[in-house]
Amino acid sequence: MGKEPSAHEFAKQFVESYANARKQFNDAQWKDIWSSSHNWNRLMLWRNVKPPDPLEKSVFHRTAEIMNLEYWENEPLKLDGPFYSSDAVPRFNFPFPIIVAFEHENFPFDFGHEVMKLFSVRAPLKVGVTYVWPDPRAGSVMEQIERIHRTIVECFEEIQRVVGEDPTAEYLFLVGSDEQADGELAWYCLTFTAAEKPTAIRFTRAEAA
């Protein structure tokens, strides 16, 4: 039975899983994966679709496995895929209770939708993952990360005016930054609890375990 991971523990294991996956590919193979949304989702997200060779599990699938949790891929509540206890038995084709609810979005300009979903579900830990890269139309990677931060703050404040939640519930937002536009990602994370406000908390670099 897996225990409920903290946001800090999840970030370390996620970045470690990503780093281990990256090591399996040479630069040319990585460029092909990074340039295809389908192949990137195979690498990062899906459980029931084989990831690119020689990987056996996607990054999210491997992250769940390390934490001794199960990964349900079938988008309950239109989530990309929650983690749930290895002792739990899904009922009515639904994993219950959800321990980690997560959303993964390839394009940062669509990430606000995922943020709203995470603020609308109940779980001890909610995780959102997206990416930024240099783009003259969108600004520097740090400007884009700041824009994502503002979206998180605005959504948090809006939902708090309507409904509260367990003050110990944690949030983790991870941004993969393609700073050199070469598909080599640096990860930034933002963590806070429902009792806190993300306003004064900033994204910081996330390191592997």
Side-chain angles (χ1 to χ4, degrees):
M1 177 179 180
K3 66 182 182 68
E4 298 172 3
S6 69
H8 179 69
E9 290 168 339
F10 191 102
K12 289 174 63 177
Q13 299 297 351
F14 175 88
V15 174
E16 178 71 17
S17 296
Y18 167 82
N20 287 336
R22 174 63 184 93
K23 293 175 185 176
Q24 305 303 312
F25 303 95
N26 63 37
D27 291 347
Q29 292 170 325
W30 190 253
K31 183 177 181 181
D32 288 341
I33 293 170
W34 175 248
S35 62
S36 165
S37 290
H38 176 77
N39 285 335
W40 189 255
N41 284 337
R42 288 172 61 207
L43 175 93
M44 294 295 297
L45 183 59
W46 293 329
R47 172 178 179 173
N48 295 320
V49 176
K50 190 179 185 307
D53 288 330
L55 286 186
E56 296 183 357
K57 296 179 174 66
S58 69
V59 171
F60 271 108
H61 190 183
R62 178 59 181 151
T63 301
E65 185 178 73
I66 291 171
M67 295 186 293
N68 196 29
L69 295 173
E70 297 295 327
Y71 170 20
W72 185 270
E73 189 188 51
N74 295 333
E75 297 192 8
L77 302 179
K78 294 299 182 181
L79 293 169
D80 278 329
F83 297 169
Y84 63 106
S85 172
S86 56
D87 288 342
V89 177
R91 289 164 283 167
F92 307 105
N93 199 36
F94 190 89
F96 184 82
I98 294 171
I99 292 178
V100 180
F102 76 82
E103 284 290 336
H104 173 273
E105 174 53 56
N106 287 344
F107 303 104
F109 42 81
D110 290 329
F111 194 51
H113 179 228
E114 318 296 355
V115 172
M116 288 188 291
K117 285 194 283 183
L118 290 172
F119 283 133
S120 300
V121 299
R122 183 180 178 184
L125 174 61
K126 274 96 61 105
V127 179
V129 180
T130 192
Y131 307 90
V132 295
W133 53 86
D135 184 342
R137 298 165 299 178
S140 69
V141 294
M142 296 312 299
E143 288 172 332
Q144 294 177 69
I145 289 174
E146 178 57 32
R147 192 176 303 121
I148 291 169
H149 182 263
R150 288 199 300 271
T151 297
I152 292 167
V153 170
E154 291 168 0
C155 290
F156 178 84
E157 292 177 345
E158 185 173 359
I159 193 68
Q160 287 292 308
R161 289 194 292 268
V162 177
V163 62
E165 65 179 317
D166 186 329
T168 66
E170 284 192 286
Y171 288 91
L172 166 64
F173 292 96
L174 288 155
V175 177
S177 174
D178 183 18
E179 296 173 2
Q180 304 302 320
D182 58 3
E184 301 293 348
L185 301 180
W187 290 94
Y188 292 83
C189 70
L190 173 72
T191 66
F192 57 93
T193 68
E196 299 170 309
K197 293 184 178 180
T199 309
I201 304 172
R202 316 311 296 180
F203 275 92
T204 58
R205 280 292 292 267
E207 303 296 339

